[in-house]
Amino acid sequence: ACLATLPPKQRTLLRAVRTALRKRFPTANELAYDYGKALVIAYAPAERGIDGLLSIRASATGVALYFNNGPLLPDPKGLLRGSGRATRFIDLDSASRLTHPDVKALIAATVAHAKVPLPREGKGMLVFKSAKK
């Protein structure tokens, strides 16, 4: 139902990015938040979003990959956007952007900066969280 609110292009891109991140982080829990105008899926070692490493945000305006601990990440190419205290993001126009060496380096740095590491074994769950007020 959350996906139905997104335009077809963003729905397709979200699915492709989600598939790539599930493959990269099979032990992470996916925490899905429906914010009404945006769907956010966080990849976390437990069921607390605050412990998440990365998040996908999809809305009518596009799809972005958010990095927790963003201000601490090395970003020599200046890819990261935003000025939040905890996160930074990159806009995604295709899932293949995740394979770019600079983006892969940001993802690796995010994993290295994680306060709570992902489990080494097992399979993560999909957990729906309520975010609507």
Side-chain angles (χ1 to χ4, degrees), residues 14-46:
L14 172 66
R15 285 185 178 119
V17 172
R18 180 177 176 232
T19 297
L21 289 178
R22 285 295 323 140
K23 189 174 185 178
R24 171 69 176 83
F25 300 109
T27 64
N29 288 316
E30 291 181 296
L31 310 178
Y33 299 87
D34 179 4
Y35 289 102
K37 294 188 179 195
L39 174 64
V40 174
I41 302 174
Y43 292 83

Side-chain angles (χ1 to χ4, degrees), residues 75-97:
D75 183 22
K77 304 287 175 125
L79 300 178
L80 296 174
R81 302 284 175 245
S83 58
R85 290 187 328 213
T87 64
R88 297 289 188 272
F89 69 93
I90 58 171
D91 290 316
L92 298 174
D93 52 2
S94 74
S96 65
R97 182 139 192 238

Side-chain angles (χ1 to χ4, degrees), residues 5 33 36 39 43 62 67 87 91 93 100 102 120 129 133:
T5 63
Y33 299 87
L39 174 64
Y43 292 83
F67 297 82
T87 64
D91 290 316
D93 52 2
H100 188 280
D102 296 330
R120 292 181 189 257
K129 300 281 195 168
K133 294 184 180 190

